[in-house]
Amino acid sequence: TTGGMIVFNSVLLAVVSMVCVFEITLFSNRFRTVLKTLGAINQVSTDSQVKRIVWITVTGNLFFFTRAFLETILCIWLLLWWKDEHTVARVFTHAWWDTYVVIKFLS
């Protein structure tokens, strides 16, 4: 059903967002290590580049963590709604759905 697909999509998007947080952090750590090693070999300060990488990592992680949190909340809300109503069709006319769409759009 459509409701089932929306629940599945929210679970999938939450998992993918958390994987993105993990991968961005892992890649950032590797990149900083390589950058520091090259800086040490060439005897050049790489502090400004490392700081920039850290800020990019923090920003990316914040974005994807927010998305994962939002999708997890949506999934829980849909499952609770389905438990009570045995359908999620009325969710789309609820004020919380509009709030979800606005938050997702703004993120």
Side-chain angles (χ1 to χ4, degrees):
T1 65
T2 304
M5 288 303 296
I6 291 173
V7 172
F8 176 77
N9 282 339
S10 65
V11 170
L12 187 64
L13 286 174
V15 169
V16 167
S17 293
M18 288 309 294
V19 168
C20 287
V21 167
F22 175 75
E23 289 295 326
I24 287 172
T25 303
L26 186 67
F27 180 74
S28 173
N29 287 334
R30 288 181 182 170
F31 197 74
R32 281 184 283 163
T33 302
V34 169
L35 188 61
K36 287 179 182 179
T37 304
L38 287 175
I41 291 171
N42 294 328
Q43 297 178 350
V44 177
S45 176
T46 57
D47 292 339
S48 64
Q49 289 90 350
V50 169
K51 287 179 185 176
R52 191 174 307 139
I53 291 168
V54 168
W55 278 110
I56 291 169
T57 303
V58 168
T59 304
N61 283 346
L62 184 63
F63 172 76
F64 284 111
F65 183 76
T66 303
R67 294 295 296 245
F69 180 74
L70 182 63
E71 293 298 332
T72 303
I73 295 298
L74 173 69
C75 180
I76 292 169
W77 182 55
L78 287 174
L79 287 173
L80 291 175
W81 191 281
W82 179 77
K83 181 182 171 189
D84 291 341
E85 302 284 328
H86 299 292
T87 183
V88 293
R90 289 189 21 205
V91 167
F92 306 115
T93 59
H94 197 277
W96 282 109
W97 179 258
D98 295 335
T99 305
Y100 163 77
V101 171
V102 168
I103 291 172
K104 191 169 180 177
F105 175 75
L106 292 176
S107 71

